Amino acid sequence: MRIVVTGADGFIGKNLRLRLAELDHTDVVGITRSTPPKALHSALAEADFVFHLGGVNRPQDPADFATGNAGLTQTVCTALTAAKSRAPLLLASSTQAALDNPYGRSKLAAEDAVRGYGAATGAPVHVFRLPNVFGKWCKPNYNSAVATFCHNIARDLPIQVNDPAAPVTLVYVDDVIERFVQLMDGADAAVDAAGFATVAPQYTTTVGELARLVQAFKDSRGTLMTERVGTGLVRALYATYVSYLPVESFTYTVPHHGDPRGVFAEMLKTPDCGQFSYFTAHPGITRGGHYHHSKTEKFLVIKGQARFKFRHMQTGQMHELVTTGDKPEIVETVPGWTHDITNIGTDEMVVMLWANEVFDRARPDTFACPVGG
């Protein structure tokens, strides 16, 4: 199928084109402001689906709102109608279409043009009134607070928050693209009560909370304490922040401590799921020799040969096992058993370690006690 994407070099357009390429759509025609009118009409005449993402939102001349939004959309609809096309047309409009200002009026007129094309031809049309869309490749210091916060904070540049309590509704660009592609593939064109296509999930937060989270992402490199970045808004926002890192910030160091036994380095701490670290040990070196009441740990030998020894603090029962870097095998410490680990190989031993809680110096839950035996 031939897919036409207007605004192909814009924020949403770039993300959409990449996704279409991943899905092996090879006949995708990107339309930009530099596309000649003849090429635009030719592409639309042969289109099987049209994503109309092109428009203007910050022109130097307010009159450009009418030409860049309403005018361009009318041109697209007229070209499709003239070609006797019934190609589905998807419009990325804005929630500001409900406002009585030059931008809002131009977006409302664009919506009317798309609906008119659908009514006149019977072609399926999908009109999205998108709230603030965020994600990778959005232009900073333009019209997106998320993009500006991520870009500036990643570079130690100041940000401005006039009203921290100001509410903001957001959608993540990956979710927008997923819904766009679903509709292109014939998914049910569910609409809201006002007849607009919708994207889910939508996130409601405040400008102040956005700024706090992005700053927390920045600070986590020093504290090693990560936010809960696995789901929802925080996941999407963290991915967005990282996408704005300058290349010289793709790497950072973490604290490490060395002594005659080897090196110990912390990697990552979490609010409620413990922390990750690794350590090394020279041949013949023993580490550990302590027990815990509640803390548990998982050890994974990455390199070398390790002997783990355990002794029950009440019964005196002993247990011993050997693992190597050649076989991925987790060894878990158990509360109430004192334990240690010895490098019994001839090379340096490297061990990855997860503890279920972040180390608390005031209450370490670590009590020295040789295993013996």
Side-chain angles (χ1 to χ4, degrees):
M1 65 186 302
R2 167 157 289 189
I3 303 167
V4 174
V5 181
T6 72
D9 57 355
F11 162 45
I12 299 177
K14 291 175 182 176
N15 280 274
L16 175 61
R17 287 190 295 112
L18 180 59
R19 183 62 182 142
L20 293 174
E22 293 165 357
L23 296 171
D24 294 327
H25 288 287
T26 57
D27 193 1
V28 178
V29 181
I31 303 298
T32 69
R33 294 179 185 177
S34 62
T35 302
K38 183 177 180 180
L40 169 63
H41 284 75
S42 176
L44 291 170
E46 299 179 3
D48 296 304
F49 198 100
V50 180
F51 292 98
H52 181 35
L53 314 179
V56 297
N57 52 27
R58 277 198 176 184
Q60 293 184 344
D61 183 353
D64 291 342
F65 281 128
T67 57
N69 293 324
L72 175 61
T73 305
Q74 188 60 61
T75 297
V76 169
C77 293
T78 300
L80 289 170
T81 303
K84 295 182 171 52
S85 174
R86 295 187 69 254
L89 175 58
L90 183 152
L91 172 68
S93 186
S94 166
T95 54
Q96 293 199 42
L99 303 181
D100 187 18
N101 57 44
Y103 177 62
R105 290 191 294 270
S106 71
K107 298 301 283 187
L108 180 61
E111 295 175 358
D112 291 341
V114 169
R115 294 190 191 282
Y117 161 71
T121 64
V125 296
H126 312 283
V127 178
F128 285 81
R129 280 193 173 178
L130 296 172
N132 298 277
V133 185
F134 72 101
K136 63 184 182 299
W137 306 333
C138 186
K139 185 177 180 180
N141 298 299
Y142 186 61
N143 66 343
S144 168
V146 172
T148 300
F149 290 171
C150 290
H151 176 273
N152 287 17
I153 289 175
R155 290 161 176 78
D156 294 317
L157 299 173
I159 62 171
Q160 182 175 342
V161 178
N162 296 323
D163 180 6
V168 59
T169 300
L170 302 163
V171 287
Y172 186 43
V173 69
D174 284 13
D175 296 324
V176 172
I177 300 305
E178 180 181 8
R179 185 56 181 154
F180 283 6
V181 171
Q182 288 172 350
L183 290 172
M184 181 188 70
D185 289 342
D188 179 28
V191 296
D192 63 16
F196 296 101
T198 60
V199 176
Q202 295 192 10
Y203 304 108
T204 300
T205 185
T206 64
V207 175
E209 178 62 8
L210 284 177
R212 185 199 70 78
L213 279 169
V214 177
Q215 186 62 56
F217 299 153
K218 168 79 171 182
D219 295 342
S220 68
R221 288 190 167 192
T223 64
L224 302 186
M225 181 64 71
T226 182
E227 295 293 310
R228 295 175 175 86
V229 297
T231 59
L233 172 61
V234 184
R235 169 186 173 270
L237 191 61
Y238 182 68
T240 303
Y241 168 73
V242 173
S243 76
Y244 284 87
L245 289 174
V247 293
E248 59 269 21
S249 296
F250 282 10
T251 181
Y252 64 101
T253 59
V254 295
H256 68 284
H257 311 280
D259 59 32
R261 299 174 300 171
V263 171
F264 175 82
E266 294 180 301
M267 176 185 174
L268 181 71
K269 300 178 182 179
T270 71
D272 48 19
C273 292
Q275 67 181 68
F276 297 84
S277 56
Y278 80 90
F279 63 84
T280 67
H282 301 304
I285 292 296
T286 298
R287 285 182 173 272
H290 56 240
Y291 66 91
H292 314 291
H293 288 295
S294 299
K295 181 187 297 185
T296 62
E297 301 160 316
K298 295 179 186 289
F299 293 86
L300 175 63
V301 176
I302 304 296
K303 174 188 173 186
Q305 188 174 21
R307 181 186 65 210
F308 289 85
K309 294 173 61 177
F310 300 84
R311 177 171 58 83
H312 195 282
M313 293 300 295
Q314 288 296 312
T315 66
Q317 179 183 350
M318 300 288 293
H319 183 63
E320 183 176 314
L321 56 91
V322 173
T323 67
T324 71
D326 296 330
K327 179 183 179 182
E329 186 175 16
I330 300 292
V331 177
E332 191 155 22
T333 64
V334 179
W337 290 71
T338 188
H339 52 273
D340 63 26
I341 176 174
T342 301
N343 182 355
I344 59 174
T346 57
D347 298 320
E348 180 184 56
M349 180 178 68
V350 181
V351 182
M352 192 165 184
L353 167 64
W354 171 79
N356 72 311
E357 59 187 48
V358 173
F359 182 73
D360 182 352
R361 293 188 181 278
R363 301 182 61 187
D365 191 14
T366 300
F367 301 90
C369 182
V371 176

PDB file of all heavy atoms in Angstrom, residues 23 43 58-59 89 92 110 126 153 167 183 211 228-229 231 243 247 266 315 332 334 342 366 368 371:
ATOM      1  N   LEU A  23       7.825  -2.007  10.215  1.00  0.00           N
ATOM      2  CA  LEU A  23       6.740  -2.897   9.800  1.00  0.00           C
ATOM      3  C   LEU A  23       6.837  -3.267   8.318  1.00  0.00           C
ATOM      4  O   LEU A  23       5.900  -3.841   7.761  1.00  0.00           O
ATOM      5  CB  LEU A  23       5.389  -2.236  10.090  1.00  0.00           C
ATOM      6  CG  LEU A  23       5.093  -1.994  11.571  1.00  0.00           C
ATOM      7  CD1 LEU A  23       3.839  -1.144  11.737  1.00  0.00           C
ATOM      8  CD2 LEU A  23       4.949  -3.310  12.319  1.00  0.00           C
ATOM      9  N   ALA A  43       1.315  12.304  -5.166  1.00  0.00           N
ATOM     10  CA  ALA A  43       1.352  11.321  -4.076  1.00  0.00           C
ATOM     11  C   ALA A  43      -0.045  11.037  -3.545  1.00  0.00           C
ATOM     12  O   ALA A  43      -0.423   9.879  -3.312  1.00  0.00           O
ATOM     13  CB  ALA A  43       2.262  11.814  -2.960  1.00  0.00           C
ATOM     14  N   ARG A  58       3.816  27.894  15.473  1.00  0.00           N
ATOM     15  CA  ARG A  58       4.484  29.095  15.965  1.00  0.00           C
ATOM     16  C   ARG A  58       5.043  29.916  14.805  1.00  0.00           C
ATOM     17  O   ARG A  58       6.251  30.142  14.724  1.00  0.00           O
ATOM     18  CB  ARG A  58       5.606  28.728  16.936  1.00  0.00           C
ATOM     19  CG  ARG A  58       5.124  28.489  18.358  1.00  0.00           C
ATOM     20  CD  ARG A  58       6.287  28.571  19.338  1.00  0.00           C
ATOM     21  NE  ARG A  58       5.861  28.451  20.701  1.00  0.00           N
ATOM     22  CZ  ARG A  58       6.662  28.573  21.751  1.00  0.00           C
ATOM     23  NH1 ARG A  58       7.945  28.813  21.564  1.00  0.00           N
ATOM     24  NH2 ARG A  58       6.202  28.457  22.977  1.00  0.00           N
ATOM     25  N   PRO A  59       4.180  30.375  13.910  1.00  0.00           N
ATOM     26  CA  PRO A  59       4.690  31.165  12.787  1.00  0.00           C
ATOM     27  C   PRO A  59       5.028  32.588  13.219  1.00  0.00           C
ATOM     28  O   PRO A  59       4.503  33.092  14.222  1.00  0.00           O
ATOM     29  CB  PRO A  59       3.518  31.158  11.815  1.00  0.00           C
ATOM     30  CG  PRO A  59       2.313  31.094  12.696  1.00  0.00           C
ATOM     31  CD  PRO A  59       2.727  30.211  13.849  1.00  0.00           C
ATOM     32  N   LEU A  89      -8.175   9.047   5.739  1.00  0.00           N
ATOM     33  CA  LEU A  89      -7.401  10.242   6.070  1.00  0.00           C
ATOM     34  C   LEU A  89      -7.393  10.419   7.581  1.00  0.00           C
ATOM     35  O   LEU A  89      -8.455  10.499   8.215  1.00  0.00           O
ATOM     36  CB  LEU A  89      -8.007  11.469   5.399  1.00  0.00           C
ATOM     37  CG  LEU A  89      -7.408  12.841   5.723  1.00  0.00           C
ATOM     38  CD1 LEU A  89      -5.918  12.887   5.394  1.00  0.00           C
ATOM     39  CD2 LEU A  89      -8.158  13.941   4.989  1.00  0.00           C
ATOM     40  N   ALA A  92      -3.906  14.785  12.583  1.00  0.00           N
ATOM     41  CA  ALA A  92      -3.397  15.091  13.921  1.00  0.00           C
ATOM     42  C   ALA A  92      -3.732  16.535  14.222  1.00  0.00           C
ATOM     43  O   ALA A  92      -3.018  17.460  13.825  1.00  0.00           O
ATOM     44  CB  ALA A  92      -1.897  14.857  13.984  1.00  0.00           C
ATOM     45  N   ALA A 110      -9.323  22.978   9.902  1.00  0.00           N
ATOM     46  CA  ALA A 110      -8.715  21.775   9.340  1.00  0.00           C
ATOM     47  C   ALA A 110      -9.573  20.548   9.651  1.00  0.00           C
ATOM     48  O   ALA A 110      -9.789  19.676   8.785  1.00  0.00           O
ATOM     49  CB  ALA A 110      -7.307  21.599   9.884  1.00  0.00           C
ATOM     50  N   HIS A 126     -10.265  10.017  10.469  1.00  0.00           N
ATOM     51  CA  HIS A 126      -9.952   9.905  11.896  1.00  0.00           C
ATOM     52  C   HIS A 126      -9.358  11.235  12.341  1.00  0.00           C
ATOM     53  O   HIS A 126      -8.279  11.621  11.880  1.00  0.00           O
ATOM     54  CB  HIS A 126      -8.956   8.778  12.158  1.00  0.00           C
ATOM     55  CG  HIS A 126      -9.316   7.490  11.492  1.00  0.00           C
ATOM     56  ND1 HIS A 126     -10.295   6.643  11.966  1.00  0.00           N
ATOM     57  CD2 HIS A 126      -8.836   6.900  10.359  1.00  0.00           C
ATOM     58  CE1 HIS A 126     -10.389   5.585  11.184  1.00  0.00           C
ATOM     59  NE2 HIS A 126      -9.511   5.721  10.199  1.00  0.00           N
ATOM     60  N   ILE A 153      17.913  20.257  31.287  1.00  0.00           N
ATOM     61  CA  ILE A 153      18.434  19.620  32.494  1.00  0.00           C
ATOM     62  C   ILE A 153      19.572  18.670  32.154  1.00  0.00           C
ATOM     63  O   ILE A 153      20.555  18.573  32.884  1.00  0.00           O
ATOM     64  CB  ILE A 153      17.296  18.915  33.253  1.00  0.00           C
ATOM     65  CG1 ILE A 153      16.370  19.970  33.887  1.00  0.00           C
ATOM     66  CG2 ILE A 153      17.839  17.974  34.319  1.00  0.00           C
ATOM     67  CD1 ILE A 153      15.136  19.400  34.555  1.00  0.00           C
ATOM     68  N   PRO A 167      -1.795  22.242  35.753  1.00  0.00           N
ATOM     69  CA  PRO A 167      -2.010  20.872  35.262  1.00  0.00           C
ATOM     70  C   PRO A 167      -1.600  20.743  33.806  1.00  0.00           C
ATOM     71  O   PRO A 167      -1.636  21.707  33.036  1.00  0.00           O
ATOM     72  CB  PRO A 167      -3.521  20.684  35.430  1.00  0.00           C
ATOM     73  CG  PRO A 167      -4.088  22.064  35.314  1.00  0.00           C
ATOM     74  CD  PRO A 167      -3.060  22.992  35.918  1.00  0.00           C
ATOM     75  N   LEU A 183      -5.198   1.967  13.350  1.00  0.00           N
ATOM     76  CA  LEU A 183      -6.274   2.452  12.493  1.00  0.00           C
ATOM     77  C   LEU A 183      -5.949   2.213  11.021  1.00  0.00           C
ATOM     78  O   LEU A 183      -6.825   1.855  10.228  1.00  0.00           O
ATOM     79  CB  LEU A 183      -6.522   3.934  12.757  1.00  0.00           C
ATOM     80  CG  LEU A 183      -7.154   4.255  14.116  1.00  0.00           C
ATOM     81  CD1 LEU A 183      -7.184   5.759  14.366  1.00  0.00           C
ATOM     82  CD2 LEU A 183      -8.563   3.674  14.206  1.00  0.00           C
ATOM     83  N   ALA A 211       9.000  18.713  36.099  1.00  0.00           N
ATOM     84  CA  ALA A 211      10.345  19.244  36.337  1.00  0.00           C
ATOM     85  C   ALA A 211      11.058  18.439  37.413  1.00  0.00           C
ATOM     86  O   ALA A 211      12.260  18.156  37.308  1.00  0.00           O
ATOM     87  CB  ALA A 211      10.260  20.716  36.730  1.00  0.00           C
ATOM     88  N   ARG A 228      11.032   4.974  39.697  1.00  0.00           N
ATOM     89  CA  ARG A 228      10.327   3.755  39.266  1.00  0.00           C
ATOM     90  C   ARG A 228      10.032   3.880  37.767  1.00  0.00           C
ATOM     91  O   ARG A 228       8.943   4.300  37.362  1.00  0.00           O
ATOM     92  CB  ARG A 228       9.057   3.576  40.081  1.00  0.00           C
ATOM     93  CG  ARG A 228       9.328   3.315  41.564  1.00  0.00           C
ATOM     94  CD  ARG A 228       8.033   3.260  42.373  1.00  0.00           C
ATOM     95  NE  ARG A 228       8.278   2.904  43.743  1.00  0.00           N
ATOM     96  CZ  ARG A 228       8.594   3.774  44.717  1.00  0.00           C
ATOM     97  NH1 ARG A 228       8.713   5.064  44.435  1.00  0.00           N
ATOM     98  NH2 ARG A 228       8.785   3.364  45.955  1.00  0.00           N
ATOM     99  N   VAL A 229      11.012   3.508  36.963  1.00  0.00           N
ATOM    100  CA  VAL A 229      10.978   3.801  35.538  1.00  0.00           C
ATOM    101  C   VAL A 229      10.452   2.646  34.685  1.00  0.00           C
ATOM    102  O   VAL A 229      10.647   2.639  33.466  1.00  0.00           O
ATOM    103  CB  VAL A 229      12.380   4.216  35.043  1.00  0.00           C
ATOM    104  CG1 VAL A 229      12.832   5.491  35.721  1.00  0.00           C
ATOM    105  CG2 VAL A 229      13.396   3.094  35.294  1.00  0.00           C
ATOM    106  N   THR A 231       7.115   1.505  34.370  1.00  0.00           N
ATOM    107  CA  THR A 231       5.747   1.543  33.860  1.00  0.00           C
ATOM    108  C   THR A 231       5.250   2.980  33.762  1.00  0.00           C
ATOM    109  O   THR A 231       5.774   3.896  34.396  1.00  0.00           O
ATOM    110  CB  THR A 231       4.767   0.774  34.786  1.00  0.00           C
ATOM    111  OG1 THR A 231       4.796   1.358  36.096  1.00  0.00           O
ATOM    112  CG2 THR A 231       5.134  -0.692  34.878  1.00  0.00           C
ATOM    113  N   SER A 243      16.815  10.216  25.793  1.00  0.00           N
ATOM    114  CA  SER A 243      16.988  10.499  24.366  1.00  0.00           C
ATOM    115  C   SER A 243      17.569  11.892  24.121  1.00  0.00           C
ATOM    116  O   SER A 243      18.046  12.172  23.014  1.00  0.00           O
ATOM    117  CB  SER A 243      15.648  10.361  23.636  1.00  0.00           C
ATOM    118  OG  SER A 243      14.788  11.467  23.867  1.00  0.00           O
ATOM    119  N   VAL A 247      25.959  13.223  23.418  1.00  0.00           N
ATOM    120  CA  VAL A 247      26.747  11.997  23.284  1.00  0.00           C
ATOM    121  C   VAL A 247      27.835  11.891  24.343  1.00  0.00           C
ATOM    122  O   VAL A 247      28.172  10.785  24.780  1.00  0.00           O
ATOM    123  CB  VAL A 247      27.365  11.886  21.878  1.00  0.00           C
ATOM    124  CG1 VAL A 247      26.278  11.684  20.840  1.00  0.00           C
ATOM    125  CG2 VAL A 247      28.197  13.118  21.536  1.00  0.00           C
ATOM    126  N   GLU A 266      29.185  -0.153  43.381  1.00  0.00           N
ATOM    127  CA  GLU A 266      27.729  -0.095  43.338  1.00  0.00           C
ATOM    128  C   GLU A 266      27.297   0.432  41.971  1.00  0.00           C
ATOM    129  O   GLU A 266      27.909   1.343  41.422  1.00  0.00           O
ATOM    130  CB  GLU A 266      27.192   0.813  44.431  1.00  0.00           C
ATOM    131  CG  GLU A 266      27.436   0.302  45.839  1.00  0.00           C
ATOM    132  CD  GLU A 266      26.887   1.240  46.888  1.00  0.00           C
ATOM    133  OE1 GLU A 266      27.326   2.415  46.905  1.00  0.00           O
ATOM    134  OE2 GLU A 266      26.022   0.817  47.667  1.00  0.00           O
ATOM    135  N   THR A 315      21.618 -24.262  64.397  1.00  0.00           N
ATOM    136  CA  THR A 315      21.884 -25.709  64.399  1.00  0.00           C
ATOM    137  C   THR A 315      23.334 -26.032  64.091  1.00  0.00           C
ATOM    138  O   THR A 315      23.787 -27.150  64.375  1.00  0.00           O
ATOM    139  CB  THR A 315      20.997 -26.422  63.363  1.00  0.00           C
ATOM    140  OG1 THR A 315      21.381 -26.008  62.041  1.00  0.00           O
ATOM    141  CG2 THR A 315      19.522 -26.096  63.592  1.00  0.00           C
ATOM    142  N   GLU A 332      21.761 -17.873  46.353  1.00  0.00           N
ATOM    143  CA  GLU A 332      20.979 -16.956  47.185  1.00  0.00           C
ATOM    144  C   GLU A 332      21.323 -17.157  48.654  1.00  0.00           C
ATOM    145  O   GLU A 332      21.332 -18.291  49.146  1.00  0.00           O
ATOM    146  CB  GLU A 332      19.489 -17.187  46.959  1.00  0.00           C
ATOM    147  CG  GLU A 332      18.619 -16.123  47.576  1.00  0.00           C
ATOM    148  CD  GLU A 332      17.278 -15.992  46.870  1.00  0.00           C
ATOM    149  OE1 GLU A 332      16.852 -16.955  46.201  1.00  0.00           O
ATOM    150  OE2 GLU A 332      16.669 -14.915  46.989  1.00  0.00           O
ATOM    151  N   VAL A 334      20.562 -16.841  52.661  1.00  0.00           N
ATOM    152  CA  VAL A 334      19.342 -17.091  53.426  1.00  0.00           C
ATOM    153  C   VAL A 334      19.497 -16.477  54.814  1.00  0.00           C
ATOM    154  O   VAL A 334      20.529 -16.673  55.474  1.00  0.00           O
ATOM    155  CB  VAL A 334      19.077 -18.611  53.541  1.00  0.00           C
ATOM    156  CG1 VAL A 334      17.818 -18.881  54.348  1.00  0.00           C
ATOM    157  CG2 VAL A 334      18.976 -19.230  52.147  1.00  0.00           C
ATOM    158  N   THR A 342      34.681 -17.669  48.380  1.00  0.00           N
ATOM    159  CA  THR A 342      36.130 -17.723  48.194  1.00  0.00           C
ATOM    160  C   THR A 342      36.459 -17.972  46.727  1.00  0.00           C
ATOM    161  O   THR A 342      35.824 -18.815  46.072  1.00  0.00           O
ATOM    162  CB  THR A 342      36.737 -18.862  49.041  1.00  0.00           C
ATOM    163  OG1 THR A 342      36.435 -18.630  50.423  1.00  0.00           O
ATOM    164  CG2 THR A 342      38.254 -18.922  48.862  1.00  0.00           C
ATOM    165  N   THR A 366      23.742  -6.542  58.954  1.00  0.00           N
ATOM    166  CA  THR A 366      24.903  -7.341  58.549  1.00  0.00           C
ATOM    167  C   THR A 366      25.779  -7.539  59.781  1.00  0.00           C
ATOM    168  O   THR A 366      26.268  -6.561  60.355  1.00  0.00           O
ATOM    169  CB  THR A 366      25.697  -6.641  57.441  1.00  0.00           C
ATOM    170  OG1 THR A 366      24.843  -6.459  56.304  1.00  0.00           O
ATOM    171  CG2 THR A 366      26.897  -7.475  57.023  1.00  0.00           C
ATOM    172  N   ALA A 368      29.006  -9.591  61.490  1.00  0.00           N
ATOM    173  CA  ALA A 368      30.203 -10.384  61.211  1.00  0.00           C
ATOM    174  C   ALA A 368      30.170 -11.689  62.000  1.00  0.00           C
ATOM    175  O   ALA A 368      29.916 -11.693  63.207  1.00  0.00           O
ATOM    176  CB  ALA A 368      31.447  -9.580  61.549  1.00  0.00           C
ATOM    177  N   VAL A 371      32.348 -18.284  59.019  1.00  0.00           N
ATOM    178  CA  VAL A 371      31.628 -19.528  58.759  1.00  0.00           C
ATOM    179  C   VAL A 371      32.322 -20.695  59.449  1.00  0.00           C
ATOM    180  O   VAL A 371      31.694 -21.565  60.020  1.00  0.00           O
ATOM    181  CB  VAL A 371      31.515 -19.790  57.246  1.00  0.00           C
ATOM    182  CG1 VAL A 371      30.842 -21.131  56.985  1.00  0.00           C
ATOM    183  CG2 VAL A 371      30.754 -18.656  56.576  1.00  0.00           C
TER     184      VAL A 371
END
